[in-house]
Amino acid sequence: MSMRGRGRIRAPKRGINTDTFEFEDIWAVLSQSLREIHMKNASSLSFEELYRNAYKLVLKKHGDLLYSKVKELLANHLKQVATDEVKPLCPGGSFQGGTSLGTAAIERRDGGSRFLQGLKVAWEDHQLCLGMMRDVLMYLDRVYCVDNKEPSIYIAGMGLFRDCVLRSNDNEIGRHLNNVILDQIQMEREGDSIDRGTIRSCVYMLEGLYETDEELETEKLYLTSFEGEFLQASTDFYKAEAERLLRQCDAGTYLQKTNRRLEEEFARSHNTLSMLTEVKIKNVVEKCLISDVIKDVMEMENSGINHMLDNDRFDELKLLYQLITRVDADKKILKEKASARLIELGKEINRSISSNTGAAPPTAEGGGGGDEGSKSAAVSKEDREANTATTLAIKWVDEVLALKDKYDRIWIQSFDSDKGMNTALSRAFSSFINDFARSPEYMSLFIDDNLKKGLKGKTEEEVDQVLDKAITLFRYIGDKDVFERYYKKHLSRRLLMGRSVSHDVEKQMIGKLKLEVGVAFTGRMEGMFKDMNISEDLTSEFKKQRAEDVDEDPDSSRLELGVHVLTPTFWPMAAMGGDADIQKTCTYPTEVEELREAFTKFYLNRHSGRKLQWQANMGTADLKATFKGRKHEVNVSTYGMVILLAFNDVEPGQSLTFSDLQTITSIPESDLIRNLQSLAVAPKTRLLRKEPMSKDVRPTDRFVFNDNFTTKYTRIRIGVVANRAETDKERKETGEKVDETRAHQIEAAIVRIMKQRKQAIHGDLLLEVMNLLSSRFKPDPVMIKKRIESLMEREYLERVEGERQTYRYLA
């Protein structure tokens, strides 16, 4: 290091060895020149001569004496500056706690500014003088300081400013400096204006001074002497600020003021104080104004998060989200509060629908006319409740979808499409939807209503939006197997009764379901469409064959037959009121019976070995009838057709009793009652008159063909059974069938797992079964245990000897 220094500064070539001098004489010249520099009279000095003098002293081994003398001179000067120039500007009294911006506050602000300005001038003068001295004493720095590992004159001068000005016990200027800066910042926080530039200059001074001559970055005076006090004062201020705002403001205003404080502190760190403090003061504000009190803010009555969510306060919610994100990346409390409110609103919808079930006026199928048909005014009490529940089902889904749309907007506009928030809200939706036992049925009814009539007149894009909304809610349903049962039942009725608005849309919906849960879920539904297509071809071929037989039997052309040949494994026969193994009794009129036998013969000739079971309860018929000389087309159920044709053999004005009709038609009693209610009780479709007239059909009632029936419609639809919500009895039966199906699925899953693993612990087997079946339903551990026991009884499994919790698969 010494060689590097000597290599840069060369000694004069002449007069050095022969000159004789005394230290005191040269020092007298140097010291006077240094004082002139302090007095700002350096313009008349010869820096080359001063440099030569310092050089001579160092060369003659007086570097140590020169170094100490320069430090002493600097110390004396700084003490004088502190005493004469800075100390008189120090404000007296305490600076804490004042909030008034009156005369006293203004005087305090101005006094503080004068003090800071004075200290700033002293600091800048000191830096300027040190720079000149460094040039004069450069050889001292490069040789003596390097060889003896002493700090340079400039660094030593900085340390002297620290010790003689800021930390002098006589003046306590450093303490005053901290208090004044803190007081100025306090006044600015309270709304006053201050001289930021002067404060910034004093902060630069603190950043340029260090605790030791090593000048470590962590030992800046700003960090060691000022920042701690600033952060503590800020903590006290913002704790009080939080308490005050909680008392005086609503939640929205609190959030705005908090955000403003954060912006102010950010600007203050960049423009007034130091960026070294930016993160620390941000943490202070966030802790005092957000972390410690945000729960209280969110729970404020009439303005908290519930109020924001209910009233679409998107901007306030966005600000709340941003502030919470600052202190908690996971946003735990926001997720909890938003989810809790969503669940609460969802349960209110559930309670509202549950409490209204059965309360609405009875609505049922009836007459009317046109393609839409009309509704009956009288059905059984059980049917009235079911039809009311159907209306409520549509209402429930509409309200849940409206809630979903509302929270989607909040998620996008206020929660920045945050994936974590979306997950939390999705769980909340799933929670209250699955708490409602009828959600799978209601979801299926909603889709059924839209696919029958709700999509008429909509564009492809609008149709796709409706289907996507249905799929969104479908994702939340835990018991997807229950939904599947209802959906297949409703789909089958739409297809068989020609009520679907579009087969393309039906297939589009099934395609969306397939993407969600796989082909196993939709395979039977797709099979239904396959049956419908095959049936169309069969009907067309049968009609061609019948056309060829017209010449042989002219009467055969009076009747047309359309048949749906259903594969029992695809169609929910029991849910539709039929049974693949049982043919419901019905005595058809002669001409219809002949046509039925003709189709049976035609079909079996094409498919030998098969068996046809006719299900009259699932069909419909179009009849031509004349009332008061006006012709009408009447669409009724197959049973309705059989009942009406029975009156063709009765003299005009003659009646048939309920028992007579039962004997003639052989229709099951419950179906006969239902069809007679549609034909004889509904005000708009009384093709028959009932004597005596009442809502209910009794075995003693008599029925007469109503010659006086009138309607403005040419085409009348009667008694077409609509998809409706199940009655309590039907729902109980559905539940039992679902449990039975689940038992088989659980057993199949257990066998599949054990076949692969051969041996498994009870807990592991339980988890694997639940994971395997989770896409269809949530298996009950108790049910899984029962199925394991059943499999053990049938010798599919056995316990491992000595390990009761371990099972072994028996091939």
Side-chain angles (χ1 to χ4, degrees):
M1 292 179 68
S2 60
M3 287 301 294
R4 182 183 63 186
R6 291 191 180 93
R8 291 183 180 180
I9 301 175
R10 291 183 173 81
K13 295 181 179 180
R14 186 181 58 171
I16 297 301
N17 295 327
T18 59
D19 289 349
T20 59
F21 60 91
E22 294 292 336
F23 173 82
E24 292 299 334
D25 295 336
I26 296 179
W27 169 243
V29 175
L30 269 177
S31 62
Q32 182 58 38
S33 299
L34 296 179
R35 291 189 188 94
E36 290 296 326
I37 289 174
H38 279 138
M39 295 173 65
K40 301 179 182 178
N41 292 327
S43 60
S44 60
L45 299 177
S46 171
F47 280 80
E48 181 180 355
E49 182 181 349
L50 294 175
Y51 174 83
R52 188 183 295 273
N53 287 335
Y55 173 82
K56 289 177 181 179
L57 292 177
V58 174
L59 198 63
K60 294 297 184 179
K61 308 300 183 184
H62 294 303
D64 55 343
L65 190 57
L66 175 61
Y67 186 78
S68 61
K69 287 289 186 178
V70 171
K71 287 182 62 177
E72 182 181 351
L73 183 144
L74 282 172
N76 292 334
H77 171 74
L78 290 173
K79 288 176 183 178
Q80 183 180 357
V81 169
T83 303
D84 297 344
E85 299 178 16
V86 181
K87 185 177 180 181
L89 299 175
C90 291
S94 173
F95 299 105
Q96 304 301 318
T99 59
S100 170
L101 293 181
T103 305
I106 293 172
E107 291 176 353
R108 197 171 79 243
R109 179 194 62 192
D110 293 344
S113 294
R114 286 193 296 272
F115 167 74
L116 295 175
Q117 186 65 32
L119 186 58
K120 170 191 172 185
V121 170
W123 166 250
E124 290 175 348
D125 286 348
H126 180 63
Q127 282 186 300
L128 181 63
C129 293
L130 271 183
M132 295 180 183
M133 291 182 182
R134 178 177 54 193
D135 293 340
V136 170
L137 302 172
M138 185 183 298
Y139 195 72
L140 177 69
D141 286 340
R142 296 294 179 86
V143 178
Y144 172 78
C145 293
V146 170
D147 290 347
N148 294 276
K149 297 182 180 179
E150 293 283 357
S152 68
I153 288 296
Y154 192 89
I155 294 175
M158 290 292 190
L160 289 171
F161 190 91
R162 174 195 65 218
D163 297 335
C164 298
V165 178
L166 298 182
R167 291 187 173 173
S168 171
N169 293 330
D170 297 333
N171 302 319
E172 295 186 332
I173 292 174
R175 180 179 65 82
H176 284 290
L177 173 63
N178 286 1
N179 288 342
V180 169
I181 294 177
L182 293 178
D183 185 54
Q184 296 279 307
I185 291 172
Q186 173 88 358
M187 286 189 285
E188 185 179 45
R189 285 171 174 166
E190 292 169 355
D192 200 358
S193 59
I194 60 173
D195 186 353
R196 296 178 181 173
T198 304
I199 296 175
R200 183 62 174 147
S201 296
C202 291
V203 168
Y204 276 142
M205 174 189 72
L206 293 175
E207 287 184 310
L209 297 174
Y210 297 83
E211 287 290 338
T212 64
D213 293 334
E214 294 179 2
E215 295 192 344
L216 301 176
E217 287 298 311
T218 56
E219 294 183 349
K220 289 178 181 286
L221 233 55
Y222 175 84
L223 298 175
T224 59
S225 297
F226 173 76
E227 188 180 68
E229 290 187 29
F230 169 70
L231 295 176
Q232 183 57 53
S234 299
T235 300
D236 296 340
F237 173 82
Y238 283 116
K239 281 183 178 179
E241 173 96 337
E243 294 176 3
R244 181 179 64 81
L245 293 178
L246 286 174
R247 289 193 307 269
Q248 298 177 358
C249 302
D250 60 24
T253 305
Y254 182 96
L255 296 175
Q256 292 170 6
K257 290 183 177 293
T258 297
N259 191 55
R260 192 177 304 125
R261 287 299 190 189
L262 286 164
E263 291 173 351
E264 289 172 359
E265 293 300 339
F266 176 83
R268 185 172 292 116
S269 296
H270 284 257
N271 303 327
T272 307
L273 298 178
S274 168
M275 285 190 289
L276 296 173
T277 307
E278 178 189 340
V279 174
K280 299 171 187 175
I281 188 60
K282 176 178 75 74
N283 293 339
V284 168
V285 180
E286 288 174 350
K287 183 178 187 306
C288 296
L289 295 185
I290 303 177
S291 300
D292 293 348
V293 297
I294 196 63
K295 183 178 180 182
D296 296 331
V297 175
M298 296 173 75
E299 292 175 354
M300 283 185 177
E301 192 173 353
N302 298 325
S303 67
I305 186 171
N306 289 355
H307 177 81
M308 297 176 190
L309 291 169
D310 295 348
N311 294 279
D312 294 338
R313 298 292 183 86
F314 297 119
D315 291 339
E316 292 179 0
L317 287 167
K318 185 178 184 67
L319 187 53
L320 177 65
Y321 169 82
Q322 291 171 344
L323 293 179
I324 290 178
T325 303
R326 283 174 166 269
V327 298
D328 179 15
D330 192 45
K331 297 165 282 290
K332 182 178 179 181
I333 191 170
L334 181 59
K335 291 177 182 176
E336 290 175 356
K337 295 293 183 183
S339 298
R341 183 55 179 170
L342 176 54
I343 291 172
E344 185 180 349
L345 293 175
K347 287 185 175 180
E348 284 181 11
I349 295 174
N350 294 347
R351 284 193 296 270
S352 173
I353 297 298
S354 298
S355 63
N356 287 331
T357 302
T363 58
E365 292 285 336
D371 291 337
E372 292 298 324
S374 47
K375 294 186 177 180
S376 174
V379 291
S380 65
K381 178 183 177 182
E382 199 174 62
D383 282 345
R384 288 200 305 270
E385 292 177 352
N387 284 313
T388 299
T390 301
T391 303
L392 293 174
I394 306 303
K395 181 182 178 184
W396 179 82
V397 177
D398 284 340
E399 290 183 0
V400 172
L401 282 175
L403 190 62
K404 171 66 176 168
D405 289 342
K406 175 188 179 73
Y407 273 77
D408 280 348
R409 288 193 301 272
I410 292 172
W411 177 65
I412 294 170
Q413 296 184 34
S414 300
F415 296 158
D416 199 24
S417 299
D418 185 283
K419 291 183 179 179
M421 288 299 303
N422 185 48
T423 300
L425 295 176
S426 295
R427 287 174 181 165
F429 270 105
S430 181
S431 174
F432 79 77
I433 287 174
N434 288 298
D435 278 347
F436 190 53
R438 303 189 72 169
S439 59
E441 179 189 5
Y442 280 12
M443 267 297 305
S444 181
L445 282 169
F446 169 80
I447 297 172
D448 176 71
D449 182 70
N450 275 281
L451 292 178
K452 282 193 304 186
K453 57 187 178 182
L455 299 179
K456 285 185 177 180
K458 293 184 181 294
T459 64
E460 289 186 9
E461 184 178 353
E462 290 171 333
V463 168
D464 201 49
Q465 287 176 355
V466 172
L467 299 185
D468 285 340
K469 286 182 178 180
I471 289 295
T472 298
L473 292 191
F474 170 73
R475 292 190 188 110
Y476 297 138
I477 295 175
D479 295 332
K480 289 183 171 59
D481 58 335
V482 179
F483 171 84
E484 178 190 6
R485 178 173 288 271
Y486 285 116
Y487 191 85
K488 286 197 300 185
K489 179 177 76 171
H490 297 154
L491 172 63
S492 65
R493 289 180 177 173
R494 289 197 300 276
L495 294 178
L496 294 180
M497 295 173 188
R499 300 294 298 275
S500 178
V501 70
S502 166
H503 279 204
D504 290 337
V505 176
E506 292 278 7
K507 292 176 181 178
Q508 186 180 349
M509 183 66 196
I510 291 174
K512 290 179 180 291
L513 289 172
K514 184 191 290 186
L515 286 176
E516 289 295 321
V517 286
V519 68
F521 188 90
T522 58
R524 293 182 180 180
M525 300 176 196
E526 292 172 329
M528 293 183 194
F529 282 96
K530 184 178 180 181
D531 280 351
M532 294 297 289
N533 293 332
I534 292 174
S535 297
E536 285 182 13
D537 295 339
L538 282 173
T539 299
S540 177
E541 292 178 16
F542 178 68
K543 286 181 178 179
K544 288 180 181 178
Q545 180 175 314
R546 292 286 293 170
E548 295 172 359
D549 298 336
V550 169
D551 295 335
E552 300 174 12
D553 183 7
D555 290 338
S556 64
S557 62
R558 296 176 54 206
L559 300 179
E560 289 186 3
L561 179 67
V563 181
H564 295 136
V565 182
L566 311 182
T567 306
T569 54
F570 294 156
W571 298 79
M573 306 299 290
M576 295 189 299
D579 194 315
D581 300 321
I582 300 175
Q583 181 167 306
K584 283 198 173 185
T585 57
C586 180
T587 301
Y588 297 96
T590 304
E591 59 270 31
V592 176
E593 178 63 23
E594 290 175 357
L595 192 60
R596 187 178 72 88
E597 289 179 353
F599 182 84
T600 301
K601 181 180 178 182
F602 164 78
Y603 182 80
L604 294 180
N605 285 338
R606 292 172 61 91
H607 303 283
S608 60
R610 293 189 182 180
K611 179 181 178 182
L612 283 179
Q613 293 282 2
W614 291 82
Q615 302 290 345
N617 59 303
M618 298 183 191
T620 62
D622 289 332
L623 301 176
K624 290 182 179 180
T626 303
F627 298 95
K628 289 188 175 183
R630 186 178 177 185
K631 295 182 179 180
H632 298 273
E633 287 188 12
V634 183
N635 177 264
V636 293
S637 67
T638 302
Y639 283 153
M641 174 199 70
V642 174
I643 294 169
L644 289 174
L645 291 180
F647 285 89
N648 282 348
D649 300 327
V650 177
E651 294 294 328
Q654 295 295 312
S655 63
L656 292 174
T657 65
F658 179 85
S659 299
D660 292 338
L661 288 170
Q662 198 170 16
T663 302
I664 293 170
T665 64
S666 301
I667 296 173
E669 182 176 350
S670 61
D671 291 315
L672 182 60
I673 290 173
R674 189 181 298 278
N675 281 272
L676 286 172
Q677 284 174 332
S678 298
L679 293 169
V681 179
K684 296 181 181 180
T685 58
R686 288 178 183 170
L687 304 187
L688 304 179
R689 294 198 315 270
K690 188 172 82 72
E691 300 173 355
M693 188 61 204
S694 63
K695 290 182 178 180
D696 300 322
V697 175
R698 298 180 177 86
T700 56
D701 289 344
R702 305 185 70 83
F703 298 88
V704 182
F705 188 75
N706 185 9
D707 293 314
N708 296 320
F709 173 78
T710 59
T711 179
K712 63 181 180 179
Y713 300 106
T714 302
R715 180 173 174 81
I716 310 166
R717 179 175 288 174
I718 301 173
V720 178
V721 180
N723 287 331
R724 54 170 176 76
E726 289 185 325
T727 62
D728 291 338
K729 179 182 177 182
E730 291 170 336
R731 194 160 57 255
K732 182 179 179 182
E733 291 173 356
T734 298
E736 290 172 354
K737 291 172 183 174
V738 167
D739 286 343
E740 182 181 342
T741 303
R742 286 182 175 180
H744 294 314
Q745 291 175 341
I746 290 172
E747 287 185 354
I750 293 170
V751 170
R752 189 179 305 123
I753 293 167
M754 293 302 296
K755 218 170 191 178
Q756 181 180 4
R757 297 188 56 177
K758 306 303 181 186
Q759 191 168 302
I761 299 172
H762 177 80
D764 294 342
L765 180 59
L766 205 68
L767 287 174
E768 286 199 47
V769 171
M770 294 177 76
N771 290 333
L772 191 61
L773 298 175
S774 61
S775 63
R776 293 187 60 81
F777 63 94
K778 294 180 180 178
D780 182 4
V782 176
M783 182 180 284
I784 297 176
K785 186 176 180 182
K786 287 181 180 179
R787 301 333 304 164
I788 292 174
E789 292 171 354
S790 174
L791 289 170
M792 291 173 64
E793 290 172 2
R794 287 176 282 159
E795 298 184 350
Y796 282 91
L797 304 177
E798 69 174 2
R799 295 187 189 275
V800 175
E801 187 175 350
E803 300 180 33
R804 288 190 55 79
Q805 291 295 310
T806 305
Y807 306 107
R808 180 186 294 119
Y809 178 68
L810 300 177

